[in-house]
Amino acid sequence: GKYSTKVINLMKNVLPCKGEIDLSSLGPKIVAFVGPTGVGKTTTVAKIAAEYALRRNKKVAMVSLDTYRLGAIDQLRIYGEIMEVPVEVARGKEDLRHIVTKHKDKDLILIDTTGRSHQDKDYSRQLKEVFDTVGGVEIHLVLSVTAQEKLFSATYHQFSSIGLDRVLFTKLDEGLSFGPLFNFTVQNRLPISYLTSGQQVPEDLEVARPERVISLIFN
């Protein structure tokens, strides 16, 4: 009824959705994806690469900062080969600086990172050092809607010192309750960039829109 329309409009106004990656600035836009293990960061990076390289004809490079899980590098390389998008592995800040210089003709450089336990407080400091070397990195926190709300806030605190710009939610197809997603975004004033569901590259990627997020909550 009228009441729910009011509530929905109010929610729309407080829900920050900044939407997709903006390529309007000059030079490569550098976007890094951070978050816990198992949320689907690597697949998400591939989906976004496919969106920009295949659908929008942009020049894209993918970089793995994943030096612990070699399997993730293989996964990224396979996606890269299929899409004809270069894949690089950075084992530290010098590596990353060289890679960014090498790909300065690109529109978009996407950086995949290793998930670490949210108890690992030193990890975000290490990442920050690496990102500061190249400067101007936009950081997207990747969370799975299947995770407990406690993990959302633990992860946020783990990475907040890096300076988070966006949040991206995965596994919408497995999620049962979307209230925590709304609470997290509003409390931390962290705009949602994308929503993903499933493993299909690139189909299961959508730009977050307030209407869509609110319809999830009210099912």
Side-chain angles (χ1 to χ4, degrees):
K2 200 171 119 201
Y3 170 71
S4 60
T5 315
K6 239 178 163 167
V7 170
I8 287 169
N9 285 333
L10 184 71
M11 286 172 83
K12 263 185 216 166
N13 291 338
V14 295
L15 186 72
C17 288
K18 271 277 167 56
E20 58 199 328
I21 294 164
D22 177 16
L23 293 186
S24 57
S25 55
L26 282 169
K29 172 78 171 246
I30 307 172
V31 183
F33 299 84
V34 303
T37 312
V39 292
K41 283 189 296 294
T42 303
T43 313
T44 300
V45 168
K47 287 175 182 181
I48 293 171
E51 171 65 31
Y52 283 89
L54 305 180
R55 294 199 171 158
R56 306 190 191 197
N57 276 326
K58 299 293 181 190
K59 294 198 188 99
V60 180
M62 296 190 285
V63 180
S64 179
L65 264 184
D66 187 336
T67 53
Y68 293 85
R69 284 171 51 240
L70 293 170
I73 297 171
D74 293 338
Q75 195 188 354
L76 210 58
R77 285 211 173 107
I78 291 164
Y79 286 132
E81 278 170 29
I82 295 166
M83 299 187 275
E84 297 181 355
V85 167
V87 174
E88 305 274 5
V89 179
R91 302 203 179 274
K93 47 191 182 185
E94 287 310 312
D95 267 7
L96 187 62
R97 188 188 289 148
H98 289 307
I99 289 165
V100 168
T101 307
K102 177 179 164 184
H103 291 284
K104 60 176 185 286
D105 66 316
K106 301 294 184 287
D107 301 305
L108 181 61
I109 298 173
L110 300 168
I111 303 175
D112 186 18
T113 65
T114 312
R116 291 277 186 91
S117 155
H118 59 85
Q119 275 92 14
D120 191 342
K121 296 287 176 268
D122 205 40
Y123 182 47
S124 56
R125 193 185 54 75
Q126 293 164 17
L127 280 180
K128 189 173 180 352
E129 264 184 28
V130 174
F131 296 150
D132 284 351
T133 315
V134 291
V137 179
E138 183 175 289
I139 315 280
H140 292 230
L141 177 64
V142 183
L143 294 174
S144 161
V145 292
T146 58
Q148 304 265 300
E149 205 159 352
K150 288 198 294 285
L151 184 63
F152 281 9
S153 54
T155 306
Y156 178 78
H157 291 301
Q158 180 188 13
F159 290 109
S160 57
S161 60
I162 300 182
L164 297 168
D165 299 296
R166 304 278 187 273
V167 63
L168 186 161
F169 289 97
T170 64
K171 306 196 182 178
L172 257 73
D173 53 319
E174 296 173 33
L176 297 170
S177 89
F178 298 97
L181 176 163
F182 180 82
N183 297 344
F184 176 86
T185 311
V186 173
Q187 272 165 10
N188 298 304
R189 299 200 177 93
L190 203 54
I192 311 175
S193 53
Y194 296 96
L195 304 168
T196 78
S197 52
Q199 292 292 317
Q200 297 299 113
V201 177
E203 293 80 6
D204 300 319
L205 174 78
E206 58 177 306
V207 173
R209 307 247 181 265
E211 298 75 18
R212 168 82 162 110
V213 175
I214 288 160
S215 73
L216 283 172
I217 294 161
F218 290 114
N219 227 347

